């Protein structure tokens, strides 16, 4: 069976996602969509030039929405990063009004295709935009997912790993809620070497609050250094896309619409070819539950402010 992935938006992030997918040989066919015809054609040619030095074969179609009809996954990487350049408060919602209009345009074109796969949303603000896509396309909510705190969780793992001098892949646990300022680290879920991280931190004098702050603002550090982020978010999107294509049924903290919340937000779920195939249930503390609700309210308020009015 041929595997096909579409990427809508071939800017810094979209092209990085494309490179990672192609380098790993995740799909056999790719569809690149971008309003900048010259740029997307150049990307396609650039990847053709890479074929001789790769171990896998693939084909690329450019700016053909109908070619997305039989895709397994479509990744939305549209956005306007320039809106963030003077954003001193580092608020991802500053892109929402612009991106909502773009999403409506893309959704109308997607609805004219036979696409029935999983839509993966990177576009910021990720949670609200995933909600807009789901509303505009009418796709099943289980099949519209945002990368959400899959990236923020990785940043937390990196910071914990650094503090305890271990590989970040040895760290378990999650950041939850919004992919944005109201997210939080659910420390009750975090462990290392079979021990609760709170116990290890107390024994070694590690400041968990500083680690949590690092996981929240780490993206801004990258952004301030190069004017955008790309590798971390691209790798998160690639992992999510691979999970879908391979029907891996992997638990990961992705942005999705849980039954108990009105908004999209990040919480662990089992992901496979049909999107979310099972909902996880964490044993959170009362404080963490309150933080999760606060994050959900923040997302929903901003969503309603721009979309419903």
């Amino acid at each position: 069976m041929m595997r096909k992935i579409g990427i809508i938006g071939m800017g810094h992030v979209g092209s990085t996602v494309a490179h990672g997918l192609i380098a790993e040989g995740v799909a056999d066919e790719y569809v690149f969509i971008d309003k900048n015809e010259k740029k997307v054609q150049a990307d396609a040619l650039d990847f053709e030039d890479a074929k001789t030095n790769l171990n896998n074969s693939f084909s690329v179609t450019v700016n053909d929405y109908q070619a997305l009809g039989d895709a397994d996954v479509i990744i939305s990487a549209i956005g306007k990063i320039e809106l963030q350049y003077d954003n001193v408060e580092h608020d991802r919602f500053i892109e929402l009004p612009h991106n909502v209009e773009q999403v409506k345009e893309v959704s109308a074109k997607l609805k004219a295709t036979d696409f029935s796969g999983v839509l993966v949303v990177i576009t910021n603000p990720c949670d609200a935009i995933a909600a807009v896509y789901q509303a505009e396309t009418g796709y099943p909510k289980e099949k519209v997912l945002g990368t959400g705190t899959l990236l923020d969780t990785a940043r937390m793992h990196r910071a914990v790993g650094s503090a305890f001098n271990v590989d970040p892949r040895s760290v378990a646990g999650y950041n939850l809620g919004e992919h944005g300022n109201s997210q939080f680290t659910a420390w009750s879920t975090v462990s290392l070497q079979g021990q609760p991280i709170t116990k290890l931190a107390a024994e070694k004098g590690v400041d968990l609050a500083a680690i949590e702050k690092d996981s929240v603002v780490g993206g801004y550090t990258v952004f301030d250094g190069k004017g955008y982020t790309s590798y971390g978010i691209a790798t998160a999107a690639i992992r999510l896309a691979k999970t879908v294509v391979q029907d891996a049924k992997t638990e990961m903290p992705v942005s999705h619409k849980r039954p108990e919340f009105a908004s999209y937000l990040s919480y662990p779920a089992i992901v496979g070819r049909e999107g979310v195939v099972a909902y996880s249930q964490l044993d959170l503390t009362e404080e963490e539950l309150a933080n999760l609700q606060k994050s959900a309210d923040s997302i929903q308020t901003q969503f309603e402010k721009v979309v419903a009015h």
Side-chain angles (χ1 to χ4, degrees), residues 212-223:
E212 182 171 19
K213 182 179 180 182
D214 189 0
S215 67
V216 174
V217 305
Y220 305 136
T221 304
V222 174
F223 178 85

Side-chain angles (χ1 to χ4, degrees), residues 5-246:
I5 296 177
I7 302 173
I8 303 176
M10 289 292 290
H12 295 302
V13 176
S15 57
T16 305
V17 170
H19 177 260
L21 289 168
I22 287 172
E24 289 192 42
V26 176
D28 307 293
E29 301 176 60
Y30 297 91
V31 181
F32 298 160
I33 306 283
D34 197 283
K35 289 183 175 181
N36 186 338
E37 182 78 24
K38 189 174 181 181
K39 165 67 163 60
V40 71
Q41 291 287 359
D43 276 331
L45 179 58
D46 213 358
F47 282 121
E48 290 292 328
D49 289 343
K51 276 186 175 178
T52 295
N53 294 313
L54 289 172
N55 295 322
N56 50 279
S57 188
F58 59 92
S59 65
V60 176
T61 301
V62 170
N63 280 353
D64 181 358
Y65 270 89
Q66 288 306 310
L68 295 171
D70 60 347
D72 300 288
V73 178
I74 294 175
I75 299 170
S76 169
I78 59 176
K80 191 173 183 179
I81 194 64
E82 294 84 2
L83 294 173
Q84 294 285 352
Y85 289 166
D86 297 318
N87 181 14
V88 294
E89 295 181 357
H90 295 303
D91 182 4
R92 288 178 177 87
F93 281 105
I94 199 167
E95 290 188 69
L96 184 57
H98 173 270
N99 288 346
V100 162
E101 294 309 310
Q102 302 304 305
V103 166
K104 288 180 177 179
E105 184 178 319
V106 168
S107 295
K109 293 178 180 177
L110 288 179
K111 285 198 294 183
T113 75
D114 295 325
F115 177 68
S116 61
V118 174
L119 177 59
V120 171
V121 179
I122 302 174
T123 300
N124 271 325
C126 177
D127 309 283
I129 290 296
V132 176
Y133 263 120
Q134 197 277 323
E136 290 292 322
T137 60
Y139 294 155
K141 64 181 186 300
E142 295 83 6
K143 287 192 168 188
V144 180
L145 307 178
T147 46
T149 61
L150 188 57
L151 172 56
D152 308 291
T153 294
R155 287 172 175 151
M156 181 268 288
H157 287 186
R158 182 257 306 155
V160 170
S162 178
F164 289 90
N165 194 30
V166 296
D167 189 302
R169 291 170 294 186
S170 299
V171 182
Y174 305 107
N175 274 31
L176 304 177
E178 176 196 356
H179 175 56
N181 295 338
S182 70
Q183 69 170 277
F184 64 98
T185 302
W187 290 116
S188 68
T189 70
V190 183
S191 63
L192 180 63
Q193 297 174 283
Q195 297 291 310
I197 200 69
T198 48
K199 177 176 177 286
L200 295 177
E203 290 173 355
K204 301 199 176 205
V206 172
D207 185 355
L208 293 182
I211 289 177
E212 182 171 19
K213 182 179 180 182
D214 189 0
S215 67
V216 174
V217 305
Y220 305 136
T221 304
V222 174
F223 178 85
D224 288 342
K226 65 181 192 178
Y228 59 94
T229 64
S230 54
Y231 303 128
I233 183 58
T235 305
I238 291 165
R239 182 186 173 200
L240 181 50
K242 285 171 64 178
T243 299
V244 173
V245 170
Q246 297 170 357

